[in-house]
Amino acid sequence: MKKILIIEDEPSIAELERDYLEINGFSVIIENSGDTGLKKAKSEEFDLIILDLMLPKVDGFEICRQIRSDCDIPILMVSAKKEDIDKIRGLGLGADDYITKPFSPSELVARVKAHIARYDRLRGNNLPRNEEISIRGLRIDKASRRVYINDREVIFTTREFDLLLFLALNPNRVFSKDELFEKIWGMDSMGDIATVTVHIKKLREKIEVDTSNPQYIETIWGAGYRFKV
Ligand code: CA
């Protein structure tokens, strides 16, 4: 059963969210304060976090920043003010989605399902946990999220790793920038497809011997990118 953490200081909202999510088969834990919420998020494993912005003790901005510094679990931020959403975007905290109060519970459930499905797909959760992908000198350890080039470990950011793993799990298929953006960042994420170009460039710098003549990630002009096997 997928497990969701709700960090929300208004009990009526938290309970409404919980009721709808439980009806839809999720297991839910509620924390009503920022400090206890952050502690919970760090001490237990969840599949998604619904995070209110205005919270006592530690606010949603800080919680999001701290969670993101050590994991890539989907975070759905909730706020009563449209201006706050703009602020979240501006800060680039790495929340996966934003929703303003009041919202319809069924919309919340739909978004939660979409983000969990995307996260599962990204992590290749349908594959055995110890699965390793090995292509020529490149080795990707999916479970530990580590990458080696000729047995030397290379460090990747969360999104870089997600992008590399996604391409490697779907070899020889061409993906457009729009498709990659939707798959890795999520359709409702803020940002634009230039992010994809930047990340592809970073990946090449890390895995290719000659970035002008890539052996792994090919550019298919006018179409997108392909992971060559
Ligand atoms: Ca609040």
Side-chain angles (χ1 to χ4, degrees):
M1 193 186 268
K2 298 291 182 187
K3 212 166 128 192
I4 293 170
L5 173 63
I6 296 174
I7 309 177
E8 167 66 72
D9 61 324
E10 289 170 61
S12 60
I13 292 179
E15 282 157 23
L16 179 73
E17 291 171 351
R18 182 194 59 203
D19 291 350
Y20 270 82
L21 290 164
E22 283 183 350
I23 289 167
N24 283 276
F26 295 100
S27 147
V28 179
I29 287 178
I30 296 174
E31 287 293 344
N32 294 119
S33 170
D35 54 345
T36 58
L38 182 58
K39 212 170 136 202
K40 195 66 150 178
K42 287 187 160 181
S43 62
E44 278 181 43
E45 266 199 39
F46 293 93
D47 294 287
L48 182 139
I49 296 173
I50 297 174
L51 178 60
D52 181 35
L53 196 55
M54 290 309 173
L55 290 163
K57 308 270 172 67
V58 184
D59 71 15
F61 291 113
E62 180 59 21
I63 294 175
C64 186
R65 202 182 60 72
Q66 289 207 28
I67 293 171
R68 265 293 164 273
S69 69
D70 54 38
C71 83
D72 61 348
I73 176 179
I75 300 174
L76 176 53
M77 288 196 101
V78 178
S79 170
K81 286 187 285 180
K82 173 78 179 59
E83 307 88 84
D84 289 336
I85 302 293
D86 294 335
K87 196 174 164 196
I88 299 169
R89 278 184 217 162
L91 289 171
L93 291 168
D96 294 275
D97 203 358
Y98 320 90
I99 197 166
T100 43
K101 294 176 189 172
F103 50 83
S104 91
S106 53
E107 192 195 342
L108 178 81
V109 170
R111 293 209 197 179
V112 164
K113 283 182 178 170
H115 283 287
I116 288 181
R118 182 177 62 85
Y119 191 54
D120 275 353
R121 218 165 46 230
L122 273 179
R123 310 202 103 185
N125 276 359
N126 43 348
L127 293 170
R129 272 203 70 78
N130 61 350
E131 177 99 352
E132 256 194 18
I133 299 167
S134 189
I135 304 145
R136 299 186 288 277
L138 173 67
R139 188 156 58 87
I140 305 167
D141 184 330
K142 196 172 64 65
S144 67
R145 295 177 64 85
R146 293 173 120 167
V147 181
Y148 304 87
I149 313 287
N150 299 323
D151 290 327
R152 185 177 55 87
E153 184 173 8
V154 181
I155 306 301
F156 286 76
T157 65
T158 298
R159 296 296 198 204
E160 286 167 7
F161 181 87
D162 291 342
L163 181 60
L164 178 67
L165 180 63
F166 176 77
L167 288 168
L169 285 170
N170 298 278
N172 297 325
R173 258 188 68 186
V174 180
F175 292 97
S176 69
K177 287 179 195 174
D178 287 298
E179 282 175 302
L180 291 174
F181 186 73
E182 196 259 318
K183 294 269 194 300
I184 311 299
W185 283 265
M187 214 152 47
D188 300 316
S189 289
M190 303 308 152
D192 61 78
I193 62 165
T195 311
V196 177
T197 317
V198 172
H199 279 73
I200 292 280
K201 186 168 176 284
K202 294 257 170 65
L203 285 187
R204 281 180 175 151
E205 284 165 2
K206 291 180 182 182
I207 65 173
E208 302 284 359
V209 176
D210 175 6
T211 54
S212 60
N213 180 27
Q215 297 303 301
Y216 293 106
I217 302 170
E218 284 183 306
T219 299
I220 310 297
W221 293 107
Y225 301 102
R226 174 171 68 185
F227 193 91
K228 199 162 64 170
V229 172

